[in-house]
Amino acid sequence: TTTNYLIDVSAAMIFFTHIYAGMERYIAGMSSEEVFDSRSAAVAAYTIGMRPTGLLRNYFADKWNVKKESPWYKKVGMNVAAAVPIQTVLYTGMLMYAGASAEEMKVALPTGLAIAIPLYWPFGAWMDKWRKIWKKKPAIE
């Protein structure tokens, strides 16, 4: 539904925007204008990619029988498997749109993945909490 779509997209915007803005500015060395452009592109990327990511989380949670009681590595694996393929493509496009140089992208892409992979578990928990706030079914119950 439209509500589920908006919930998953807004969960990502709230969670990731400030983290990636800081990384792009202070680690990758992107200019303030490039960071603004990248974060603006993130709105489009989240709009495109976060509902499919949320649906993949639901799919993997069901397929792999991931529950609250499941070991941490199953939860991490589920979140990483759902997010990395989609987010890598979208983030590359965001950086290109922002005008990041090849040197900046050489830093931002691997750093973005290095940041994202450990954050997908807390992001998944946040997405589930955000879904519950809006009275929608979380991926992990």
Side-chain angles (χ1 to χ4, degrees), residues 103-123:
E103 281 302 310
E104 290 167 334
M105 288 180 71
K106 283 183 196 175
V107 175
L109 283 170
T111 303
L113 266 177
I115 291 170
I117 289 173
L119 285 179
Y120 284 139
W121 182 13
F123 170 68

mmCIF file of all heavy atoms in Angstrom, residues 103-123:
data_model
loop_
_atom_site.group_PDB
_atom_site.id
_atom_site.type_symbol
_atom_site.label_atom_id
_atom_site.label_comp_id
_atom_site.label_asym_id
_atom_site.label_seq_id
_atom_site.Cartn_x
_atom_site.Cartn_y
_atom_site.Cartn_z
ATOM 1 N N GLU A 103 38.155 10.260 -7.441
ATOM 2 C CA GLU A 103 38.859 10.109 -6.161
ATOM 3 C C GLU A 103 37.882 10.099 -4.987
ATOM 4 O O GLU A 103 38.013 9.296 -4.074
ATOM 5 C CB GLU A 103 39.901 11.232 -5.975
ATOM 6 C CG GLU A 103 41.187 11.013 -6.729
ATOM 7 C CD GLU A 103 41.882 9.707 -6.357
ATOM 8 O OE1 GLU A 103 42.076 9.419 -5.156
ATOM 9 O OE2 GLU A 103 42.229 8.956 -7.294
ATOM 10 N N GLU A 104 36.909 10.988 -5.005
ATOM 11 C CA GLU A 104 35.915 11.040 -3.929
ATOM 12 C C GLU A 104 35.082 9.761 -3.925
ATOM 13 O O GLU A 104 34.778 9.218 -2.861
ATOM 14 C CB GLU A 104 35.018 12.267 -4.092
ATOM 15 C CG GLU A 104 35.734 13.579 -3.818
ATOM 16 C CD GLU A 104 34.974 14.803 -4.275
ATOM 17 O OE1 GLU A 104 34.156 14.698 -5.209
ATOM 18 O OE2 GLU A 104 35.209 15.876 -3.691
ATOM 19 N N MET A 105 34.732 9.277 -5.111
ATOM 20 C CA MET A 105 33.940 8.041 -5.190
ATOM 21 C C MET A 105 34.754 6.840 -4.718
ATOM 22 O O MET A 105 34.197 5.932 -4.103
ATOM 23 C CB MET A 105 33.419 7.826 -6.606
ATOM 24 C CG MET A 105 32.302 8.800 -6.961
ATOM 25 S SD MET A 105 31.657 8.600 -8.607
ATOM 26 C CE MET A 105 30.785 7.061 -8.449
ATOM 27 N N LYS A 106 36.059 6.823 -4.978
ATOM 28 C CA LYS A 106 36.920 5.730 -4.506
ATOM 29 C C LYS A 106 36.909 5.632 -2.987
ATOM 30 O O LYS A 106 37.116 4.561 -2.429
ATOM 31 C CB LYS A 106 38.367 5.925 -4.980
ATOM 32 C CG LYS A 106 38.611 5.574 -6.408
ATOM 33 C CD LYS A 106 40.105 5.747 -6.714
ATOM 34 C CE LYS A 106 40.377 5.800 -8.181
ATOM 35 N NZ LYS A 106 41.793 6.082 -8.467
ATOM 36 N N VAL A 107 36.683 6.754 -2.333
ATOM 37 C CA VAL A 107 36.597 6.768 -0.870
ATOM 38 C C VAL A 107 35.153 6.552 -0.414
ATOM 39 O O VAL A 107 34.890 5.745 0.475
ATOM 40 C CB VAL A 107 37.157 8.094 -0.300
ATOM 41 C CG1 VAL A 107 36.944 8.164 1.213
ATOM 42 C CG2 VAL A 107 38.631 8.255 -0.641
ATOM 43 N N ALA A 108 34.224 7.276 -1.033
ATOM 44 C CA ALA A 108 32.836 7.259 -0.562
ATOM 45 C C ALA A 108 32.173 5.895 -0.722
ATOM 46 O O ALA A 108 31.455 5.446 0.182
ATOM 47 C CB ALA A 108 32.011 8.326 -1.281
ATOM 48 N N LEU A 109 32.384 5.208 -1.857
ATOM 49 C CA LEU A 109 31.703 3.922 -2.071
ATOM 50 C C LEU A 109 32.131 2.848 -1.072
ATOM 51 O O LEU A 109 31.287 2.274 -0.390
ATOM 52 C CB LEU A 109 31.882 3.448 -3.507
ATOM 53 C CG LEU A 109 31.008 4.171 -4.525
ATOM 54 C CD1 LEU A 109 31.427 3.825 -5.948
ATOM 55 C CD2 LEU A 109 29.547 3.843 -4.310
ATOM 56 N N PRO A 110 33.436 2.556 -0.941
ATOM 57 C CA PRO A 110 33.785 1.534 0.048
ATOM 58 C C PRO A 110 33.513 1.971 1.485
ATOM 59 O O PRO A 110 33.120 1.153 2.322
ATOM 60 C CB PRO A 110 35.274 1.269 -0.182
ATOM 61 C CG PRO A 110 35.772 2.376 -1.024
ATOM 62 C CD PRO A 110 34.591 2.981 -1.721
ATOM 63 N N THR A 111 33.692 3.267 1.762
ATOM 64 C CA THR A 111 33.387 3.741 3.112
ATOM 65 C C THR A 111 31.892 3.641 3.374
ATOM 66 O O THR A 111 31.472 3.247 4.461
ATOM 67 C CB THR A 111 33.874 5.191 3.309
ATOM 68 O OG1 THR A 111 35.268 5.256 3.029
ATOM 69 C CG2 THR A 111 33.623 5.663 4.729
ATOM 70 N N GLY A 112 31.098 3.978 2.363
ATOM 71 C CA GLY A 112 29.649 3.851 2.498
ATOM 72 C C GLY A 112 29.231 2.429 2.797
ATOM 73 O O GLY A 112 28.381 2.175 3.651
ATOM 74 N N LEU A 113 29.841 1.466 2.105
ATOM 75 C CA LEU A 113 29.543 0.052 2.383
ATOM 76 C C LEU A 113 30.039 -0.351 3.763
ATOM 77 O O LEU A 113 29.350 -1.065 4.493
ATOM 78 C CB LEU A 113 30.185 -0.851 1.331
ATOM 79 C CG LEU A 113 29.314 -1.233 0.160
ATOM 80 C CD1 LEU A 113 30.102 -2.061 -0.843
ATOM 81 C CD2 LEU A 113 28.070 -1.962 0.576
ATOM 82 N N ALA A 114 31.236 0.109 4.119
ATOM 83 C CA ALA A 114 31.790 -0.224 5.436
ATOM 84 C C ALA A 114 30.912 0.326 6.556
ATOM 85 O O ALA A 114 30.781 -0.286 7.613
ATOM 86 C CB ALA A 114 33.216 0.308 5.565
ATOM 87 N N ILE A 115 30.305 1.477 6.320
ATOM 88 C CA ILE A 115 29.385 2.057 7.300
ATOM 89 C C ILE A 115 28.045 1.325 7.257
ATOM 90 O O ILE A 115 27.452 1.014 8.289
ATOM 91 C CB ILE A 115 29.173 3.562 7.025
ATOM 92 C CG1 ILE A 115 30.445 4.346 7.335
ATOM 93 C CG2 ILE A 115 27.989 4.109 7.822
ATOM 94 C CD1 ILE A 115 30.393 5.790 6.870
ATOM 95 N N ALA A 116 27.569 1.059 6.052
ATOM 96 C CA ALA A 116 26.219 0.514 5.883
ATOM 97 C C ALA A 116 26.069 -0.892 6.435
ATOM 98 O O ALA A 116 25.073 -1.193 7.088
ATOM 99 C CB ALA A 116 25.826 0.539 4.410
ATOM 100 N N ILE A 117 27.026 -1.754 6.156
ATOM 101 C CA ILE A 117 26.858 -3.160 6.542
ATOM 102 C C ILE A 117 26.617 -3.305 8.040
ATOM 103 O O ILE A 117 25.641 -3.941 8.437
ATOM 104 C CB ILE A 117 28.005 -4.023 6.003
ATOM 105 C CG1 ILE A 117 27.841 -4.138 4.481
ATOM 106 C CG2 ILE A 117 28.038 -5.396 6.667
ATOM 107 C CD1 ILE A 117 28.976 -4.825 3.760
ATOM 108 N N PRO A 118 27.438 -2.711 8.909
ATOM 109 C CA PRO A 118 27.102 -2.843 10.332
ATOM 110 C C PRO A 118 25.857 -2.058 10.746
ATOM 111 O O PRO A 118 25.229 -2.372 11.754
ATOM 112 C CB PRO A 118 28.347 -2.322 11.061
ATOM 113 C CG PRO A 118 29.136 -1.581 10.060
ATOM 114 C CD PRO A 118 28.738 -2.085 8.707
ATOM 115 N N LEU A 119 25.478 -1.052 9.957
ATOM 116 C CA LEU A 119 24.285 -0.270 10.302
ATOM 117 C C LEU A 119 22.986 -0.906 9.840
ATOM 118 O O LEU A 119 21.914 -0.502 10.290
ATOM 119 C CB LEU A 119 24.386 1.141 9.703
ATOM 120 C CG LEU A 119 25.324 2.096 10.401
ATOM 121 C CD1 LEU A 119 25.348 3.433 9.679
ATOM 122 C CD2 LEU A 119 24.932 2.295 11.861
ATOM 123 N N TYR A 120 23.053 -1.890 8.939
ATOM 124 C CA TYR A 120 21.809 -2.484 8.453
ATOM 125 C C TYR A 120 21.045 -3.210 9.552
ATOM 126 O O TYR A 120 19.823 -3.262 9.513
ATOM 127 C CB TYR A 120 22.052 -3.405 7.258
ATOM 128 C CG TYR A 120 22.295 -2.653 5.974
ATOM 129 C CD1 TYR A 120 23.255 -3.059 5.080
ATOM 130 C CD2 TYR A 120 21.562 -1.511 5.655
ATOM 131 C CE1 TYR A 120 23.489 -2.360 3.902
ATOM 132 C CE2 TYR A 120 21.786 -0.808 4.491
ATOM 133 C CZ TYR A 120 22.742 -1.231 3.620
ATOM 134 O OH TYR A 120 22.976 -0.544 2.466
ATOM 135 N N TRP A 121 21.730 -3.761 10.528
ATOM 136 C CA TRP A 121 21.016 -4.395 11.629
ATOM 137 C C TRP A 121 20.265 -3.349 12.460
ATOM 138 O O TRP A 121 19.051 -3.459 12.642
ATOM 139 C CB TRP A 121 21.948 -5.239 12.479
ATOM 140 C CG TRP A 121 21.289 -5.977 13.611
ATOM 141 C CD1 TRP A 121 19.951 -6.182 13.823
ATOM 142 C CD2 TRP A 121 21.952 -6.611 14.688
ATOM 143 N NE1 TRP A 121 19.750 -6.914 14.960
ATOM 144 C CE2 TRP A 121 20.965 -7.188 15.523
ATOM 145 C CE3 TRP A 121 23.282 -6.768 15.045
ATOM 146 C CZ2 TRP A 121 21.270 -7.889 16.680
ATOM 147 C CZ3 TRP A 121 23.581 -7.473 16.202
ATOM 148 C CH2 TRP A 121 22.579 -8.028 16.999
ATOM 149 N N PRO A 122 20.948 -2.282 12.959
ATOM 150 C CA PRO A 122 20.172 -1.279 13.697
ATOM 151 C C PRO A 122 19.140 -0.579 12.804
ATOM 152 O O PRO A 122 18.056 -0.218 13.274
ATOM 153 C CB PRO A 122 21.197 -0.300 14.241
ATOM 154 C CG PRO A 122 22.491 -0.659 13.639
ATOM 155 C CD PRO A 122 22.383 -2.019 13.042
ATOM 156 N N PHE A 123 19.469 -0.418 11.515
ATOM 157 C CA PHE A 123 18.468 0.172 10.624
ATOM 158 C C PHE A 123 17.249 -0.738 10.517
ATOM 159 O O PHE A 123 16.113 -0.273 10.554
ATOM 160 C CB PHE A 123 19.020 0.457 9.224
ATOM 161 C CG PHE A 123 17.935 0.838 8.266
ATOM 162 C CD1 PHE A 123 17.255 2.047 8.409
ATOM 163 C CD2 PHE A 123 17.532 -0.020 7.263
ATOM 164 C CE1 PHE A 123 16.215 2.398 7.558
ATOM 165 C CE2 PHE A 123 16.493 0.315 6.403
ATOM 166 C CZ PHE A 123 15.840 1.528 6.550
#
